[in-house]
Amino acid sequence: MLNSSQRNPLLMHSLQQWGLLGIIALLGAVPRLIHLAYPMQYDEAYTFMAFARPSLYYALTDYHLPNNHVFHSVLVHISTRLWGEYRWAIRLPAFLAGWFLIPATYIVAKRFYNPRVATIAAILVAGWPNLINYSANARGYSLIMLLTMGLFYLATRVLHEDRLGLWLLMSVLAAIGLFTVPVMAYPLAVLSIWMFMEAIQGRFWPTYRTTTLLRRFALTSLITVLLTFLFYTPILMVSGSQSLFANSFIKRYPWIEFWQKVPTWLPYFRDEWGTGLTNWFSGCILVLAIVGAIAHRQVAKPYTPLALPISIVILFALVFYRVELVTRAWLFLIPFLLMLAAAGMVAIGDWIHKRWGWALLLVLVLTGMVFFDIRKVVNEWPYVWGEMDRLEKTALFLSQKTQVDDLVLVNFPVDPQMWYYLSQYQPHPVRLKYKGGEIGHVWAVVDTVSGQNLDYVIRGRNLPKCNDPEDYHRIREIEGVILYRCDIEDGGN
C-alpha cells in the first residue's frame, strides 16, 4: 500500500497529464468551432432536409437513401428543435462527437501504450484536418469513431473485470453504432478479432474460464443483434427490408473487375484522409505508423497489436467482400493510424534520446501539420463573421424576388444546399419540383463553378412550358451562379 509521500507525486503526475489533455482538447476545439460556420455541404444538407428536419417519424422510418444515419438524424432533429435550424445546431452532434474523440483517443491509447503515446495521439487527432472536417459535417461518421474508441476502452476492461454491466454497455454502444451507420460492422469486426486473439493467448485468466468468456461474448453479440433489430424495426415496417439489405449504392464486383478498380480508389484515401496536408507529411505519418506497428513490443502494453486485426478485416474486405472502397466507410481507422504513428514517434525518439528525442520529433512533424491547418482556417475565417457563400447569397436574392407560385429549378451538386438555404430565407414553402398546378415564373439556378449550364438544369423537367433554354432570360450572376427566369405568362414554349 502506498504511503502519502508516494501518493502525492503520483497524484501530481496524473493531474499534469489530465491538465495537458484539457489544453489539447481546448486547442482542438478552436478549428472545429470555426468549421461550424462553413457553408453547408451536399450530404449534410440533404440528410437534414430529407430526414432530420421533417419529424422524428421521418428520421426513424425513412431509409430511401443511406444518407439517413438514423441515430445521428434523431440527434440533429432534437438539436435543431432546441436551438433552431442554424448550421451550428445542425452540426452540433457531429461536433461534440468529434471533439470528445480527442480525450477518447487519449484514454484508449493510454490503455494500449503509455502516456507519451497517448498525448501525441491526442495532439494528432486534435489537429488532423480530415477529423476536423468531419467534426463540423452533420453526418454520423464522427459518432462512429467515438463509439469505436468507447468499445475498445470497454474491451480492455472486460478482459480483466467480469462485470455484466460493462458487457451490456458494449452491446448498447455497438447497437447504437449500427443504428447510426451500418458500416459500424467494420470496427466491430476488428474488435471481435482482437478480443478473440486476446482470449486464445490466455490474457483473460484468471478473470474468466474459457466457457465463461465464450458465454459472455455470445450473450453480448446476441443482445447487440436484438437491439439493432429493435432500433431498425420502424424502418423495416415502413421502408421495407430492401431499403437496408438491397442498397443500390453497394455493389459487389467480380474478382478481376474489383482488382482493376482498386488502384483507382486508393488515391481517394490519400486525398481525403490527407486533406489540408502535403503528401510528404501524410507519407511521414504513414511511415511512423509502420514503425509503430513494428516496434509494438517496445512501446505497447502486452496486448495483441491493433495492426493485426485491422489488417485481417481489410484483407477480408478485399478478398471476399469486394465492394467499392469508400473512404468514409473506413474513417474509423484514422484514430488507430494516428495512435500507431504516435507509437512510432515515441519509438524513434527513444532510439535517439530517452527523454527529449520523441518530443523533438513531435515538434518537427507537427509544425508541418499546424501550418497547413492554419492556412485552411484562415481561408474559412470570413464565414465566422457571417460572410455568405455564393449559394446562400443566391437563396437570399431569390427569397426577395420569387412569389408563392414560382418554381425554382436546381440540380446536382448544389440542389440540397439550395433547398436548405431557401428554406431559411423564403417566407413561404419553396417549390423545387413540378408536381402539377399553376406556375408563375420558373427560375433556373445555374452554378457555373461546378460546371453546370442552363440546359443541364432544366433538362427532363416535363414542365407545361419553359422546357427550352431559349425561353429563359438571364437575370443576374452571383459569384458564378447565374439566375435565369422564364415568364410563363409571356409565352414560354
Side-chain angles (χ1 to χ4, degrees), residues 71 143-144 147 171-181 228 231:
F71 182 70
L143 186 58
I144 290 296
L147 290 169
S171 294
V172 172
L173 294 185
I176 289 175
L178 291 168
F179 189 45
T180 303
V181 192
T228 304
F231 291 157

Side-chain angles (χ1 to χ4, degrees), residues 126-146:
W128 197 258
N130 189 242
L131 296 181
I132 293 171
N133 289 345
Y134 276 98
S135 298
N137 189 334
R139 310 282 282 135
Y141 297 108
S142 60
L143 186 58
I144 290 296
M145 289 185 275
L146 179 63

Side-chain angles (χ1 to χ4, degrees), residues 45-238:
Y46 186 85
T47 299
F48 173 67
M49 295 302 295
F51 302 112
R53 187 179 190 238
S55 68
L56 275 178
Y57 176 81
Y58 277 93
L60 291 168
T61 62
D62 189 352
Y63 207 78
H64 68 270
L65 284 176
N67 284 59
N68 188 8
H69 296 175
V70 188
F71 182 70
H72 177 264
S73 296
V74 170
L75 296 179
V76 172
H77 178 85
I78 295 171
S79 176
T80 52
R81 287 298 179 271
L82 289 174
W83 310 110
E85 296 180 356
Y86 304 105
R87 277 171 288 184
W88 67 265
I90 295 171
R91 292 164 170 168
L92 185 61
F95 166 81
L96 292 175
W99 187 34
F100 292 156
L101 183 64
I102 300 170
T105 301
Y106 175 89
I107 292 169
V108 173
K110 191 176 178 182
R111 300 283 294 190
F112 278 89
Y113 297 97
N114 56 55
R116 288 187 299 165
V117 173
T119 300
I120 298 173
I123 292 173
L124 289 171
V125 169
W128 197 258
N130 189 242
L131 296 181
I132 293 171
N133 289 345
Y134 276 98
S135 298
N137 189 334
R139 310 282 282 135
Y141 297 108
S142 60
L143 186 58
I144 290 296
M145 289 185 275
L146 179 63
L147 290 169
T148 300
M149 289 295 105
L151 283 166
F152 271 86
Y153 167 74
L154 291 173
T156 61
R157 290 192 57 181
V158 298
L159 288 176
H160 306 290
E161 302 175 42
D162 187 11
R163 295 172 57 183
L164 287 175
L166 294 178
W167 286 99
L168 179 60
L169 184 56
M170 287 184 69
S171 294
V172 172
L173 294 185
I176 289 175
L178 291 168
F179 189 45
T180 303
V181 192
V183 295
M184 182 70 186
Y186 288 141
L188 288 179
V190 174
L191 177 67
S192 299
I193 294 171
W194 180 83
M195 294 185 71
F196 174 76
M197 290 180 169
E198 288 293 291
I200 62 176
Q201 294 178 77
R203 299 247 170 81
F204 54 87
W205 288 97
T207 309
Y208 304 95
R209 293 180 180 273
T210 303
T211 54
T212 304
L213 181 66
L214 290 174
R215 283 200 301 267
R216 294 282 189 274
F217 188 81
L219 180 61
T220 301
S221 301
L222 178 62
I223 293 174
T224 299
V225 172
L226 292 176
L227 283 176
T228 304
F229 178 78
L230 178 64
F231 291 157
Y232 274 109
T233 297
I235 285 176
L236 293 172
M237 293 177 65
V238 176

Side-chain angles (χ1 to χ4, degrees), residues 137-421:
N137 189 334
R139 310 282 282 135
Y141 297 108
S142 60
L143 186 58
I144 290 296
M145 289 185 275
L146 179 63
L147 290 169
T148 300
M149 289 295 105
L151 283 166
F152 271 86
Y153 167 74
L154 291 173
T156 61
R157 290 192 57 181
V158 298
L159 288 176
H160 306 290
E161 302 175 42
D162 187 11
R163 295 172 57 183
L164 287 175
L166 294 178
W167 286 99
L168 179 60
L169 184 56
M170 287 184 69
S171 294
V172 172
L173 294 185
I176 289 175
L178 291 168
F179 189 45
T180 303
V181 192
V183 295
M184 182 70 186
Y186 288 141
L188 288 179
V190 174
L191 177 67
S192 299
I193 294 171
W194 180 83
M195 294 185 71
F196 174 76
M197 290 180 169
E198 288 293 291
I200 62 176
Q201 294 178 77
R203 299 247 170 81
F204 54 87
W205 288 97
T207 309
Y208 304 95
R209 293 180 180 273
T210 303
T211 54
T212 304
L213 181 66
L214 290 174
R215 283 200 301 267
R216 294 282 189 274
F217 188 81
L219 180 61
T220 301
S221 301
L222 178 62
I223 293 174
T224 299
V225 172
L226 292 176
L227 283 176
T228 304
F229 178 78
L230 178 64
F231 291 157
Y232 274 109
T233 297
I235 285 176
L236 293 172
M237 293 177 65
V238 176
S239 297
S241 60
Q242 293 295 311
S243 63
L244 279 174
F245 302 114
N247 189 338
S248 60
F249 289 86
I250 298 177
K251 175 187 175 183
R252 291 193 66 186
Y253 289 89
W255 180 267
I256 296 177
E257 184 181 358
F258 176 78
W259 286 103
Q260 288 174 341
K261 288 182 175 292
V262 166
T264 66
W265 293 328
L266 291 180
Y268 291 110
F269 284 83
R270 179 199 62 206
D271 296 340
E272 183 175 328
W273 287 16
T275 182
L277 302 170
T278 59
N279 289 335
W280 70 262
F281 181 81
S282 301
C284 181
I285 290 295
L286 183 59
V287 170
L288 286 170
I290 294 172
V291 172
I294 295 172
H296 174 79
R297 290 188 177 182
Q298 176 187 335
V299 294
K301 294 179 180 178
Y303 285 123
T304 300
L306 288 170
L308 190 53
I310 289 173
S311 299
I312 291 173
V313 170
I314 292 174
L315 185 63
F316 178 86
L318 292 175
V319 175
F320 298 104
Y321 196 33
R322 297 196 309 274
V323 298
E324 181 178 352
L325 298 178
V326 180
T327 56
R328 289 170 293 184
W330 298 93
L331 277 173
F332 76 95
L333 291 178
I334 294 182
F336 292 114
L337 177 68
L338 298 181
M339 273 190 222
L340 288 170
M345 211 174 295
V346 169
I348 293 174
D350 284 347
W351 293 334
I352 297 172
H353 190 285
K354 195 70 176 177
R355 180 179 295 272
W356 297 110
W358 67 273
L360 177 61
L361 189 64
L362 171 65
V363 170
L364 291 175
V365 171
L366 289 185
T367 300
M369 185 171 72
V370 169
F371 171 76
F372 289 105
D373 193 48
I374 287 176
R375 184 181 65 179
K376 194 171 189 298
V377 168
V378 169
N379 291 337
E380 295 172 358
W381 192 255
Y383 299 120
V384 178
W385 300 105
E387 179 69 24
M388 298 180 183
D389 75 320
R390 68 187 191 281
L391 299 180
E392 187 171 4
K393 290 177 181 177
T394 302
L396 179 60
F397 176 82
L398 286 171
S399 69
Q400 299 166 348
K401 300 296 182 181
T402 56
Q403 304 299 319
V404 68
D405 57 352
D406 285 358
L407 180 66
V408 179
L409 303 181
V410 292
N411 211 336
F412 178 85
V414 298
D415 39 335
Q417 300 97 303
M418 286 298 301
W419 187 14
Y420 166 73
Y421 287 130

